[in-house]
Amino acid sequence: MSNIVVRLDNVVKTYSMGESEVHALRGISFEIAQGEFLSIMGPSGSGKSTCMNMIGCLDRPTSGIVEINGKETAKMTEKELAVLRNQTVGFVFQQYHLIPSMNVLENVMLPLKYQKVEKSERVERAKKALEAVGLGDRLKHRPHELSGGQKQRVAIARAMITEPKILLADEPTGALDSSTGKQVMELFKTINREKGTTVIIVTHDPGIGASTERCIKILDGQVTE
């Protein structure tokens, strides 16, 4: 596997909580190749969210090496990290994080605004992204007019608009009923297959873990299998 987009080597993350220290990650190591479809699974408090923050360039390790797209995050400035995050990673969250005052099209266009893309191109690309997730007829709707499954599809379209190498999804089916959850998982599989995007799903759900090609299991800040 030469085409590695994520590499964690003996990563430790310790948080100070007043007098005590919380050991969120205790020497985690794994690699993820471009184009993989996998899950990181563990119960609440296992360290999987901290792991996700490392991959998403939202946090840095206390020690060890985190490399995203060949760049070591610990050696980067906040600004460089923000650029790497914006160009390399698309995020999908359980609670969607859509902006209520914006319609669907405006929500999806937003990441391109930060990349200084011309407005006409932003509109064009957002329309295409929404058509790809089956919401081409919902452009002017606001988030409160959508079902949970539709909101999650908008969030996926927004995450994919920058054509990231890595799509990082945090409990993406957690707020959905099981049949809608299955549809969202199928959408991730399609994105992975058709675009070659590396899809990483962070979950506590063994059903989701079993439906990905590979599952990294984490418990008490360590990889168990």
Side-chain angles (χ1 to χ4, degrees), residues 36-97:
E36 276 200 78
F37 180 68
L38 80 156
S39 52
I40 296 175
M41 196 176 93
S44 182
S46 60
K48 66 181 186 298
S49 295
T50 306
C51 211
M52 182 190 80
N53 291 343
M54 296 292 159
I55 296 169
C57 307
L58 296 168
D59 206 348
R60 304 165 198 255
T62 304
S63 66
I65 293 171
V66 177
E67 267 181 21
I68 306 300
N69 207 18
K71 292 177 177 153
E72 193 178 335
T73 60
K75 293 179 176 171
M76 301 174 83
T77 64
E78 285 300 327
K79 197 172 180 184
E80 288 167 336
L81 267 186
V83 170
L84 179 64
R85 187 164 58 234
N86 199 352
Q87 292 176 349
T88 311
V89 188
F91 292 94
V92 178
F93 300 100
Q94 180 177 348
Q95 300 302 336
Y96 325 124
H97 292 326

Side-chain angles (χ1 to χ4, degrees), residues 96 147-149 172-185 208:
Y96 325 124
S147 70
T173 60
L176 307 174
D177 63 69
S178 59
S179 76
T180 310
K182 281 199 183 89
Q183 289 170 6
V184 167
M185 286 301 292
I208 303 279

Side-chain angles (χ1 to χ4, degrees), residues 98-104 106-107 141-144:
L98 301 177
I99 296 170
S101 60
M102 289 184 170
N103 66 29
V104 164
E106 290 163 341
N107 266 286
H141 285 61
R142 293 193 190 265
H144 70 86

